[in-house]
Coordinates of all heavy atoms in Angstrom, one line a residue:
M1 N -68.4 -69.2 -81.0 CA -67.4 -70.3 -80.7 C -67.0 -70.3 -79.3 O -66.5 -69.3 -78.7 CB -66.1 -70.0 -81.7 CG -65.0 -70.9 -81.4 SD -63.7 -70.7 -82.6 CE -63.7 -69.1 -83.1
P2 N -67.3 -71.4 -78.6 CA -67.1 -71.5 -77.1 C -65.6 -71.4 -76.8 O -64.7 -71.9 -77.4 CB -67.6 -72.8 -76.8 CG -68.5 -73.2 -77.8 CD -68.0 -72.5 -79.1
E3 N -65.3 -70.6 -75.7 CA -64.0 -70.5 -75.2 C -63.8 -71.7 -74.2 O -64.5 -71.9 -73.3 CB -63.9 -69.2 -74.4 CG -62.4 -69.0 -73.8 CD -62.4 -67.6 -73.0 OE1 -62.8 -66.6 -73.6 OE2 -61.9 -67.7 -71.9
I4 N -62.7 -72.4 -74.5 CA -62.4 -73.6 -73.7 C -61.2 -73.4 -72.7 O -61.1 -74.1 -71.7 CB -62.1 -74.9 -74.5 CG1 -60.9 -74.7 -75.4 CG2 -63.4 -75.3 -75.2 CD1 -60.5 -76.0 -76.1
C5 N -60.5 -72.3 -73.0 CA -59.3 -72.0 -72.0 C -58.8 -70.6 -72.2 O -58.9 -70.1 -73.4 CB -58.2 -73.1 -72.2 SG -56.9 -73.0 -71.0
R6 N -58.1 -70.0 -71.3 CA -57.5 -68.7 -71.4 C -56.3 -68.7 -70.4 O -56.4 -69.1 -69.2 CB -58.5 -67.7 -70.9 CG -58.0 -66.3 -71.0 CD -59.0 -65.2 -70.6 NE -60.1 -65.2 -71.4 CZ -60.6 -64.1 -72.1 NH1 -59.9 -63.0 -72.1 NH2 -61.6 -64.2 -72.9
F7 N -55.2 -68.3 -70.9 CA -54.0 -68.3 -70.1 C -53.0 -67.3 -70.8 O -52.8 -67.3 -72.0 CB -53.3 -69.7 -69.9 CG -53.0 -70.4 -71.3 CD1 -51.8 -70.3 -71.9 CD2 -53.9 -71.2 -71.8 CE1 -51.4 -71.0 -73.0 CE2 -53.6 -71.9 -73.0 CZ -52.4 -71.8 -73.6
F8 N -52.3 -66.5 -69.9 CA -51.2 -65.6 -70.3 C -51.7 -64.7 -71.6 O -50.9 -64.4 -72.4 CB -50.0 -66.3 -70.6 CG -49.4 -67.2 -69.6 CD1 -49.3 -68.5 -69.6 CD2 -49.0 -66.5 -68.4 CE1 -48.7 -69.2 -68.7 CE2 -48.6 -67.3 -67.3 CZ -48.4 -68.7 -67.4
G9 N -53.0 -64.4 -71.6 CA -53.4 -63.5 -72.6 C -53.8 -64.3 -73.9 O -54.3 -63.7 -74.9
I10 N -53.7 -65.6 -73.8 CA -54.0 -66.4 -75.1 C -55.5 -67.0 -74.8 O -55.8 -67.5 -73.7 CB -53.0 -67.5 -75.2 CG1 -51.6 -67.0 -75.4 CG2 -53.5 -68.5 -76.3 CD1 -50.5 -68.0 -75.2
I11 N -56.3 -66.9 -75.8 CA -57.7 -67.4 -75.7 C -57.7 -68.6 -76.7 O -57.4 -68.5 -77.8 CB -58.7 -66.4 -76.2 CG1 -58.6 -65.1 -75.2 CG2 -60.1 -66.9 -76.1 CD1 -59.3 -63.9 -75.7
I12 N -58.3 -69.7 -76.1 CA -58.4 -70.9 -77.0 C -59.9 -71.2 -77.1 O -60.7 -71.2 -76.1 CB -57.8 -72.2 -76.2 CG1 -56.4 -71.9 -75.8 CG2 -57.9 -73.4 -77.0 CD1 -55.4 -71.7 -77.0
R13 N -60.3 -71.4 -78.3 CA -61.7 -71.7 -78.6 C -61.9 -72.9 -79.5 O -60.9 -73.2 -80.3 CB -62.3 -70.6 -79.3 CG -62.4 -69.3 -78.6 CD -63.2 -68.2 -79.3 NE -63.4 -67.0 -78.4 CZ -62.7 -65.9 -78.5 NH1 -61.6 -65.7 -79.2 NH2 -62.9 -64.9 -77.7
M14 N -63.1 -73.6 -79.5 CA -63.3 -74.7 -80.3 C -64.7 -74.6 -80.9 O -65.7 -74.3 -80.1 CB -63.2 -76.0 -79.6 CG -63.2 -77.2 -80.5 SD -63.0 -78.8 -79.7 CE -61.2 -78.8 -79.3
F15 N -64.9 -74.7 -82.2 CA -66.2 -74.6 -82.8 C -67.1 -75.9 -82.5 O -66.5 -77.0 -82.3 CB -66.1 -74.5 -84.3 CG -65.8 -73.2 -84.8 CD1 -64.5 -72.9 -85.3 CD2 -66.8 -72.1 -84.7 CE1 -64.3 -71.6 -85.8 CE2 -66.4 -71.0 -85.3 CZ -65.3 -70.6 -85.8
F16 N -68.4 -75.7 -82.5 CA -69.2 -77.0 -82.5 C -69.3 -77.6 -83.8 O -69.5 -78.9 -83.8 CB -70.6 -76.6 -81.9 CG -70.6 -76.4 -80.4 CD1 -70.7 -75.1 -79.8 CD2 -70.5 -77.5 -79.5 CE1 -70.8 -74.9 -78.4 CE2 -70.5 -77.3 -78.2 CZ -70.7 -76.0 -77.6
D17 N -69.4 -76.9 -84.8 CA -69.5 -77.4 -86.3 C -68.1 -77.8 -86.7 O -67.6 -77.3 -87.6 CB -70.2 -76.6 -87.1 CG -69.5 -75.2 -87.3 OD1 -68.7 -74.8 -86.5 OD2 -69.8 -74.5 -88.3
V18 N -67.5 -78.8 -86.1 CA -66.2 -79.2 -86.4 C -66.0 -80.0 -87.6 O -66.9 -80.6 -88.1 CB -65.6 -80.0 -85.1 CG1 -65.4 -79.1 -84.0 CG2 -66.4 -81.2 -84.9
H19 N -64.8 -79.8 -88.2 CA -64.4 -80.6 -89.5 C -63.0 -81.1 -89.3 O -62.2 -80.4 -88.5 CB -64.6 -79.7 -90.7 CG -63.9 -78.4 -90.5 ND1 -62.5 -78.3 -90.9 CD2 -64.3 -77.2 -90.1 CE1 -62.2 -77.0 -90.6 NE2 -63.2 -76.3 -90.1
D20 N -62.7 -82.2 -89.9 CA -61.3 -82.7 -89.7 C -60.4 -81.8 -90.5 O -60.7 -81.0 -91.4 CB -61.2 -84.1 -90.4 CG -61.8 -85.0 -89.5 OD1 -61.8 -84.9 -88.2 OD2 -62.4 -86.1 -90.0
P21 N -59.1 -81.7 -90.1 CA -58.5 -82.4 -89.0 C -58.9 -81.8 -87.7 O -59.2 -80.7 -87.6 CB -57.0 -82.3 -89.3 CG -56.8 -80.9 -90.0 CD -58.1 -80.8 -90.7
P22 N -58.7 -82.6 -86.6 CA -59.0 -82.0 -85.2 C -58.1 -80.8 -85.0 O -56.9 -80.8 -85.3 CB -58.6 -83.1 -84.3 CG -58.8 -84.4 -85.1 CD -58.3 -84.0 -86.5
H23 N -58.7 -79.7 -84.5 CA -58.0 -78.4 -84.4 C -58.8 -77.5 -83.4 O -59.9 -77.8 -83.0 CB -58.0 -77.8 -85.7 CG -59.3 -77.3 -86.3 ND1 -60.1 -78.2 -86.9 CD2 -59.9 -76.2 -86.2 CE1 -61.2 -77.6 -87.2 NE2 -61.1 -76.3 -86.9
F24 N -58.1 -76.5 -83.1 CA -58.7 -75.4 -82.2 C -58.2 -74.1 -82.7 O -57.2 -74.0 -83.4 CB -58.4 -75.6 -80.7 CG -57.0 -75.6 -80.4 CD1 -56.3 -74.4 -80.0 CD2 -56.3 -76.8 -80.3 CE1 -55.0 -74.3 -79.7 CE2 -54.9 -76.7 -80.0 CZ -54.3 -75.5 -79.8
H25 N -58.8 -73.0 -82.2 CA -58.5 -71.6 -82.6 C -57.9 -71.0 -81.5 O -58.4 -71.0 -80.3 CB -59.7 -70.8 -83.0 CG -60.4 -71.5 -84.2 ND1 -60.4 -70.9 -85.4 CD2 -61.1 -72.7 -84.4 CE1 -61.0 -71.7 -86.3 NE2 -61.4 -72.8 -85.6
A26 N -56.7 -70.3 -81.7 CA -56.0 -69.5 -80.6 C -56.0 -68.0 -81.0 O -55.8 -67.7 -82.2 CB -54.6 -70.0 -80.4
E27 N -56.1 -67.1 -80.0 CA -56.1 -65.8 -80.2 C -55.1 -65.1 -79.3 O -55.2 -65.5 -78.1 CB -57.5 -65.1 -80.2 CG -57.4 -63.6 -80.5 CD -58.8 -63.0 -80.5 OE1 -59.8 -63.8 -80.5 OE2 -58.9 -61.8 -80.4
Y28 N -54.2 -64.2 -79.7 CA -53.3 -63.6 -78.8 C -53.1 -62.1 -79.4 O -52.6 -62.0 -80.5 CB -52.0 -64.3 -78.7 CG -51.0 -63.6 -77.8 CD1 -51.2 -63.6 -76.5 CD2 -49.9 -63.0 -78.4 CE1 -50.2 -62.9 -75.7 CE2 -48.9 -62.4 -77.5 CZ -49.1 -62.4 -76.2 OH -48.2 -61.7 -75.4
Q29 N -53.5 -61.2 -78.5 CA -53.3 -59.7 -78.9 C -53.8 -59.4 -80.4 O -53.2 -58.7 -81.1 CB -51.8 -59.4 -78.9 CG -51.2 -59.4 -77.5 CD -49.9 -58.9 -77.3 OE1 -49.1 -58.7 -78.3 NE2 -49.4 -58.6 -76.1
G30 N -55.0 -59.9 -80.6 CA -55.7 -59.7 -81.9 C -55.3 -60.5 -83.0 O -55.9 -60.4 -84.1
N31 N -54.3 -61.3 -82.8 CA -53.8 -62.3 -83.9 C -54.4 -63.6 -83.6 O -54.6 -64.1 -82.5 CB -52.3 -62.4 -83.8 CG -51.6 -61.1 -84.1 OD1 -51.7 -60.5 -85.2 ND2 -51.0 -60.5 -83.1
K32 N -54.8 -64.3 -84.8 CA -55.5 -65.6 -84.7 C -54.8 -66.6 -85.5 O -54.2 -66.3 -86.6 CB -56.9 -65.4 -85.2 CG -57.7 -64.4 -84.4 CD -59.1 -64.2 -84.9 CE -59.9 -63.2 -84.1 NZ -61.2 -63.0 -84.7
A33 N -54.8 -67.8 -84.9 CA -54.2 -69.0 -85.6 C -55.0 -70.2 -85.3 O -55.6 -70.3 -84.3 CB -52.7 -69.2 -85.1
V34 N -55.0 -71.2 -86.2 CA -55.6 -72.5 -86.1 C -54.5 -73.5 -85.8 O -53.6 -73.6 -86.7 CB -56.5 -72.8 -87.2 CG1 -57.2 -74.2 -87.1 CG2 -57.6 -71.7 -87.4
F35 N -54.6 -74.2 -84.8 CA -53.6 -75.3 -84.4 C -54.2 -76.7 -84.6 O -55.3 -76.9 -84.2 CB -53.1 -75.1 -83.0 CG -52.2 -74.0 -82.8 CD1 -52.7 -72.7 -82.6 CD2 -50.9 -74.2 -82.6 CE1 -51.8 -71.7 -82.4 CE2 -49.9 -73.2 -82.4 CZ -50.4 -71.8 -82.2
D36 N -53.4 -77.6 -85.1 CA -53.9 -79.0 -85.0 C -53.4 -79.5 -83.6 O -52.7 -78.8 -82.9 CB -53.4 -79.9 -86.2 CG -51.9 -80.0 -86.2 OD1 -51.2 -79.8 -85.2 OD2 -51.4 -80.5 -87.3
F37 N -53.7 -80.7 -83.3 CA -53.4 -81.3 -81.9 C -51.9 -81.7 -81.8 O -51.5 -82.1 -80.8 CB -54.3 -82.5 -81.6 CG -55.8 -82.0 -81.4 CD1 -56.2 -80.7 -81.4 CD2 -56.7 -83.0 -81.0 CE1 -57.5 -80.2 -81.2 CE2 -58.0 -82.6 -80.7 CZ -58.5 -81.3 -80.8
N38 N -51.1 -81.6 -82.9 CA -49.7 -81.8 -82.9 C -49.0 -80.5 -82.6 O -47.8 -80.5 -82.6 CB -49.3 -82.5 -84.1 CG -49.9 -83.9 -84.2 OD1 -49.9 -84.6 -83.4 ND2 -50.3 -84.2 -85.5
G39 N -49.7 -79.4 -82.6 CA -49.0 -78.1 -82.4 C -48.7 -77.4 -83.6 O -48.0 -76.3 -83.7
N40 N -49.1 -77.9 -84.8 CA -48.8 -77.2 -86.0 C -49.8 -76.2 -86.3 O -51.0 -76.4 -86.0 CB -48.9 -78.3 -87.3 CG -47.9 -79.4 -87.1 OD1 -46.7 -79.2 -86.9 ND2 -48.3 -80.6 -87.2
I41 N -49.4 -75.1 -86.9 CA -50.2 -74.0 -87.2 C -50.8 -74.4 -88.6 O -50.1 -74.4 -89.6 CB -49.6 -72.6 -87.2 CG1 -49.2 -72.3 -85.8 CG2 -50.6 -71.5 -87.8 CD1 -48.4 -71.0 -85.7
I42 N -52.2 -74.5 -88.7 CA -52.8 -74.8 -90.0 C -53.1 -73.5 -90.8 O -52.9 -73.5 -92.0 CB -54.2 -75.5 -89.6 CG1 -53.9 -76.8 -89.0 CG2 -54.9 -75.8 -91.0 CD1 -55.1 -77.5 -88.5
R43 N -53.4 -72.5 -90.0 CA -53.8 -71.2 -90.6 C -53.6 -70.1 -89.7 O -53.7 -70.2 -88.5 CB -55.3 -71.3 -91.1 CG -55.9 -70.2 -91.8 CD -57.3 -70.4 -92.4 NE -58.3 -70.6 -91.3 CZ -58.9 -71.8 -91.0 NH1 -58.6 -72.9 -91.7 NH2 -59.7 -71.8 -90.0
G44 N -53.2 -68.9 -90.3 CA -53.0 -67.7 -89.4 C -51.7 -67.7 -88.8 O -50.8 -68.4 -89.0
S45 N -51.6 -66.8 -87.8 CA -50.4 -66.5 -87.0 C -50.7 -65.8 -85.7 O -51.5 -64.9 -85.7 CB -49.3 -65.7 -87.8 OG -48.2 -65.4 -87.0
L46 N -50.0 -66.2 -84.6 CA -50.1 -65.4 -83.4 C -49.1 -64.3 -83.3 O -49.1 -63.4 -82.4 CB -49.9 -66.3 -82.2 CG -51.0 -67.4 -82.0 CD1 -50.7 -68.2 -80.8 CD2 -52.4 -66.9 -82.0
N47 N -48.1 -64.2 -84.3 CA -47.1 -63.2 -84.3 C -46.4 -63.0 -83.1 O -45.9 -62.0 -82.7 CB -47.7 -61.8 -84.7 CG -48.2 -61.8 -86.2 OD1 -47.7 -62.5 -86.9 ND2 -49.2 -60.9 -86.5
S48 N -46.2 -64.2 -82.4 CA -45.3 -64.2 -81.1 C -44.8 -65.6 -80.9 O -45.6 -66.6 -80.7 CB -46.2 -63.8 -79.9 OG -45.5 -64.1 -78.7
K49 N -43.5 -65.8 -81.0 CA -42.8 -67.0 -80.8 C -43.1 -67.6 -79.4 O -43.5 -68.8 -79.2 CB -41.4 -67.0 -81.0 CG -41.0 -66.7 -82.5 CD -39.5 -66.7 -82.6 CE -39.2 -66.4 -84.1 NZ -37.7 -66.3 -84.3
T50 N -43.2 -66.7 -78.4 CA -43.5 -67.1 -77.0 C -44.9 -67.6 -76.9 O -45.2 -68.7 -76.3 CB -43.3 -65.9 -76.1 OG1 -41.9 -65.5 -76.2 CG2 -43.6 -66.3 -74.6
A51 N -45.9 -66.9 -77.5 CA -47.3 -67.4 -77.4 C -47.4 -68.7 -78.1 O -48.1 -69.7 -77.6 CB -48.2 -66.3 -78.1
I52 N -46.8 -68.9 -79.3 CA -46.8 -70.2 -80.0 C -46.2 -71.3 -79.1 O -46.8 -72.4 -79.0 CB -46.1 -70.1 -81.4 CG1 -46.9 -69.1 -82.3 CG2 -46.0 -71.5 -81.9 CD1 -46.2 -68.8 -83.5
R53 N -45.1 -71.0 -78.5 CA -44.4 -72.0 -77.6 C -45.4 -72.4 -76.4 O -45.5 -73.5 -76.1 CB -43.1 -71.5 -77.1 CG -42.4 -72.4 -76.1 CD -41.1 -71.9 -75.6 NE -41.3 -70.6 -74.9 CZ -41.7 -70.3 -73.7 NH1 -42.2 -71.4 -73.0 NH2 -41.8 -69.1 -73.2
L54 N -46.0 -71.3 -75.8 CA -47.0 -71.6 -74.7 C -48.2 -72.5 -75.2 O -48.6 -73.3 -74.4 CB -47.5 -70.3 -74.1 CG -46.3 -69.5 -73.3 CD1 -46.9 -68.1 -73.0 CD2 -45.9 -70.3 -72.1
V55 N -48.7 -72.2 -76.4 CA -49.8 -73.0 -76.8 C -49.4 -74.4 -77.1 O -50.1 -75.4 -76.7 CB -50.4 -72.3 -78.1 CG1 -51.4 -73.3 -78.8 CG2 -51.1 -71.0 -77.9
R56 N -48.2 -74.7 -77.6 CA -47.7 -76.0 -77.8 C -47.5 -76.7 -76.6 O -47.8 -77.9 -76.4 CB -46.4 -75.9 -78.7 CG -46.8 -75.5 -80.2 CD -45.5 -75.4 -81.0 NE -46.0 -75.2 -82.4 CZ -45.2 -74.6 -83.3 NH1 -44.0 -74.2 -83.0 NH2 -45.7 -74.4 -84.5
E57 N -46.9 -76.0 -75.5 CA -46.8 -76.6 -74.2 C -48.1 -77.1 -73.6 O -48.2 -78.1 -73.1 CB -46.0 -75.6 -73.3 CG -45.6 -76.2 -72.0 CD -44.9 -75.1 -71.1 OE1 -44.3 -74.3 -71.7 OE2 -45.0 -75.2 -69.9
W58 N -49.1 -76.2 -73.8 CA -50.4 -76.5 -73.3 C -51.0 -77.7 -74.0 O -51.6 -78.6 -73.3 CB -51.3 -75.3 -73.5 CG -52.7 -75.4 -73.1 CD1 -53.2 -75.3 -71.8 CD2 -53.9 -75.6 -73.9 NE1 -54.6 -75.5 -71.8 CE2 -55.0 -75.7 -73.1 CE3 -54.0 -75.8 -75.3 CZ2 -56.3 -75.9 -73.5 CZ3 -55.4 -76.0 -75.8 CH2 -56.4 -76.1 -74.9
I59 N -50.8 -77.8 -75.3 CA -51.3 -79.0 -76.0 C -50.7 -80.2 -75.4 O -51.3 -81.2 -75.2 CB -51.0 -78.9 -77.5 CG1 -51.7 -77.8 -78.2 CG2 -51.2 -80.2 -78.2 CD1 -51.2 -77.4 -79.6
D60 N -49.4 -80.2 -75.3 CA -48.7 -81.4 -74.8 C -49.2 -81.9 -73.4 O -49.4 -83.0 -73.1 CB -47.2 -81.1 -74.5 CG -46.4 -81.0 -75.8 OD1 -46.9 -81.5 -76.8 OD2 -45.3 -80.5 -75.8
L61 N -49.6 -80.9 -72.5 CA -50.2 -81.2 -71.2 C -51.7 -81.6 -71.2 O -52.1 -82.3 -70.4 CB -50.0 -80.0 -70.3 CG -48.6 -79.6 -69.9 CD1 -48.6 -78.3 -69.2 CD2 -48.0 -80.7 -69.1
R62 N -52.4 -81.1 -72.2 CA -53.9 -81.3 -72.3 C -54.4 -82.0 -73.5 O -55.6 -82.0 -73.8 CB -54.5 -79.9 -72.3 CG -54.1 -78.9 -71.1 CD -54.5 -79.6 -69.8 NE -54.1 -78.6 -68.7 CZ -53.7 -79.1 -67.5 NH1 -53.7 -80.3 -67.2 NH2 -53.3 -78.2 -66.6
L63 N -53.6 -82.8 -74.1 CA -53.9 -83.4 -75.4 C -55.2 -84.4 -75.2 O -56.1 -84.3 -76.0 CB -52.8 -84.3 -75.9 CG -53.1 -85.0 -77.2 CD1 -53.6 -84.0 -78.3 CD2 -51.9 -85.8 -77.7
N64 N -55.2 -85.1 -74.2 CA -56.4 -86.0 -73.9 C -57.7 -85.2 -73.7 O -58.7 -85.7 -74.3 CB -56.1 -86.9 -72.7 CG -55.0 -88.0 -72.9 OD1 -54.7 -88.3 -74.1 ND2 -54.5 -88.5 -71.9
E65 N -57.6 -84.1 -73.1 CA -58.8 -83.3 -72.8 C -59.2 -82.7 -74.2 O -60.4 -82.5 -74.4 CB -58.5 -82.3 -71.8 CG -58.3 -82.9 -70.4 CD -57.6 -81.9 -69.5 OE1 -56.3 -81.9 -69.6 OE2 -58.3 -81.2 -68.7
L66 N -58.2 -82.2 -75.0 CA -58.5 -81.7 -76.3 C -59.3 -82.7 -77.2 O -60.2 -82.4 -77.8 CB -57.3 -81.2 -77.0 CG -56.8 -79.8 -76.7 CD1 -55.3 -79.7 -77.2 CD2 -57.7 -78.8 -77.3
Q67 N -58.7 -83.9 -77.1 CA -59.3 -85.0 -77.9 C -60.7 -85.3 -77.5 O -61.7 -85.5 -78.2 CB -58.5 -86.2 -77.9 CG -57.2 -86.0 -78.7 CD -56.2 -87.1 -78.5 OE1 -56.2 -87.8 -77.5 NE2 -55.4 -87.3 -79.5
E68 N -60.9 -85.3 -76.1 CA -62.3 -85.5 -75.5 C -63.3 -84.4 -76.1 O -64.4 -84.7 -76.4 CB -62.2 -85.6 -74.1 CG -63.5 -85.9 -73.4 CD -63.4 -86.0 -71.9 OE1 -62.4 -86.4 -71.4 OE2 -64.4 -85.5 -71.2
D69 N -62.8 -83.1 -75.9 CA -63.7 -82.0 -76.4 C -64.0 -82.1 -77.9 O -65.1 -81.8 -78.3 CB -63.0 -80.7 -76.1 CG -63.4 -80.1 -74.7 OD1 -64.3 -80.7 -74.1 OD2 -62.9 -79.0 -74.4
W70 N -63.0 -82.5 -78.7 CA -63.3 -82.8 -80.1 C -64.4 -83.7 -80.3 O -65.2 -83.4 -81.1 CB -62.0 -83.2 -80.8 CG -62.1 -83.3 -82.3 CD1 -62.3 -84.4 -82.9 CD2 -62.1 -82.2 -83.2 NE1 -62.4 -84.2 -84.3 CE2 -62.3 -82.8 -84.5 CE3 -62.0 -80.8 -83.1 CZ2 -62.4 -82.0 -85.6 CZ3 -62.0 -80.1 -84.3 CH2 -62.2 -80.7 -85.5
E71 N -64.3 -84.9 -79.7 CA -65.4 -85.9 -79.8 C -66.7 -85.3 -79.3 O -67.7 -85.7 -80.0 CB -65.0 -87.2 -79.1 CG -63.7 -87.8 -79.7 CD -63.9 -88.1 -81.2 OE1 -65.0 -88.6 -81.6 OE2 -62.9 -87.9 -81.9
L72 N -66.7 -84.6 -78.2 CA -68.0 -84.0 -77.8 C -68.6 -83.1 -78.8 O -69.8 -83.1 -79.1 CB -67.8 -83.3 -76.5 CG -67.6 -84.2 -75.2 CD1 -67.1 -83.4 -74.0 CD2 -68.8 -85.0 -74.9
A73 N -67.7 -82.2 -79.3 CA -68.1 -81.3 -80.4 C -68.7 -82.0 -81.6 O -69.7 -81.6 -82.2 CB -67.0 -80.3 -80.7
R74 N -68.1 -83.0 -82.0 CA -68.4 -83.8 -83.2 C -69.8 -84.4 -83.0 O -70.6 -84.6 -83.9 CB -67.4 -84.8 -83.6 CG -66.2 -84.2 -84.3 CD -65.3 -85.2 -84.8 NE -65.9 -86.0 -85.8 CZ -65.6 -85.9 -87.2 NH1 -64.7 -85.0 -87.6 NH2 -66.3 -86.6 -88.1
A75 N -70.1 -84.8 -81.7 CA -71.3 -85.4 -81.4 C -72.4 -84.4 -81.1 O -73.6 -84.7 -80.7 CB -71.2 -86.3 -80.2
G76 N -72.1 -83.1 -81.2 CA -73.0 -82.0 -80.9 C -73.4 -81.8 -79.5 O -74.3 -81.2 -79.2
K77 N -72.4 -82.3 -78.6 CA -72.6 -82.1 -77.2 C -71.8 -80.9 -76.7 O -70.9 -80.5 -77.3 CB -72.2 -83.4 -76.6 CG -73.0 -84.6 -76.9 CD -72.6 -85.9 -76.1 CE -73.5 -87.0 -76.6 NZ -73.1 -88.2 -76.0
E78 N -72.1 -80.5 -75.5 CA -71.4 -79.4 -74.9 C -69.9 -79.8 -74.5 O -69.7 -80.8 -73.9 CB -72.1 -79.0 -73.6 CG -71.6 -77.8 -73.0 CD -72.4 -77.2 -71.9 OE1 -73.5 -77.6 -71.7 OE2 -71.8 -76.4 -71.1
I79 N -69.1 -78.9 -75.0 CA -67.7 -79.2 -74.7 C -67.3 -78.6 -73.3 O -68.0 -77.8 -72.8 CB -66.7 -78.6 -75.8 CG1 -66.9 -77.1 -75.9 CG2 -66.9 -79.3 -77.0 CD1 -66.1 -76.5 -77.0
K80 N -66.2 -79.1 -72.7 CA -65.8 -78.8 -71.4 C -64.7 -77.7 -71.4 O -63.9 -77.7 -72.3 CB -65.4 -80.0 -70.6 CG -66.4 -81.1 -70.6 CD -65.8 -82.4 -70.0 CE -66.9 -83.5 -70.0 NZ -66.4 -84.7 -69.5
K81 N -64.6 -77.0 -70.4 CA -63.4 -76.1 -70.2 C -62.3 -77.0 -69.9 O -62.3 -78.1 -69.2 CB -63.7 -75.2 -69.0 CG -64.8 -74.3 -69.2 CD -64.4 -73.0 -70.0 CE -65.5 -72.0 -69.9 NZ -65.3 -70.9 -70.8
I82 N -61.1 -76.5 -70.3 CA -59.8 -77.2 -70.0 C -58.9 -76.3 -69.2 O -58.9 -75.1 -69.4 CB -59.1 -77.5 -71.4 CG1 -60.0 -78.5 -72.2 CG2 -57.8 -78.2 -71.2 CD1 -59.4 -78.9 -73.6
A83 N -58.2 -76.9 -68.3 CA -57.4 -76.1 -67.4 C -56.2 -75.4 -68.1 O -55.7 -75.9 -69.1 CB -56.7 -77.1 -66.4
P84 N -56.0 -74.2 -67.7 CA -55.0 -73.4 -68.3 C -53.5 -73.8 -68.1 O -53.3 -74.6 -67.2 CB -55.2 -72.0 -67.8 CG -55.7 -72.2 -66.4 CD -56.5 -73.5 -66.6
L85 N -52.6 -73.3 -68.8 CA -51.1 -73.5 -68.5 C -50.9 -72.6 -67.2 O -51.3 -71.4 -67.3 CB -50.4 -73.0 -69.8 CG -48.9 -73.4 -69.7 CD1 -48.7 -74.8 -69.7 CD2 -48.3 -72.7 -71.0
E86 N -50.1 -73.0 -66.4 CA -49.8 -72.3 -65.2 C -48.4 -72.1 -65.0 O -47.5 -72.7 -65.5 CB -50.4 -72.9 -64.0 CG -51.9 -73.1 -63.9 CD -52.4 -73.8 -62.7 OE1 -51.7 -74.3 -62.0 OE2 -53.7 -73.9 -62.7

């Protein structure tokens, strides 16, 4: 699963064999969660309110790029790296 971003110890990945709803995978200190593009956790947990807040902030800033990567992945094309939260 390709890594699309990394910030503050949080790793963001997106699968190529995507399925609805649009989502990505986040990992923080060995904990994993799946987020939709609205910031809802679909599955799993990061076990850190701060990490969850940071992921949601990143989504707000990078939503258009996430949606673009989602469409690329659905088309079987190479997805792009997305800028981290700074």
Side-chain angles (χ1 to χ4, degrees):
M1 173 172 29
E3 182 178 311
I4 60 173
C5 190
R6 183 183 293 243
F7 55 92
F8 302 117
I10 301 167
I11 302 167
I12 307 292
R13 295 183 172 102
M14 189 179 287
F15 281 109
F16 281 109
D17 58 341
V18 293
H19 53 85
D20 286 326
H23 66 279
F24 61 87
H25 300 249
E27 183 176 343
Y28 179 70
Q29 295 184 342
N31 298 293
K32 298 178 182 180
V34 177
F35 285 80
D36 67 17
F37 290 0
N38 294 315
N40 300 309
I41 295 177
I42 299 170
R43 184 173 63 249
S45 175
L46 296 182
N47 289 336
S48 166
K49 290 180 183 179
T50 301
I52 292 167
R53 180 182 54 78
L54 291 170
V55 170
R56 288 177 174 155
E57 186 177 331
W58 179 78
I59 293 168
D60 288 344
L61 293 171
R62 306 294 182 216
L63 181 58
N64 290 337
E65 294 158 280
L66 275 168
Q67 291 170 331
E68 183 180 320
D69 267 359
W70 182 260
E71 292 305 318
L72 289 169
R74 286 189 63 108
K77 297 180 180 176
E78 186 174 343
I79 57 178
K80 301 174 185 176
K81 297 277 187 187
I82 298 176
L85 191 61
E86 298 178 354

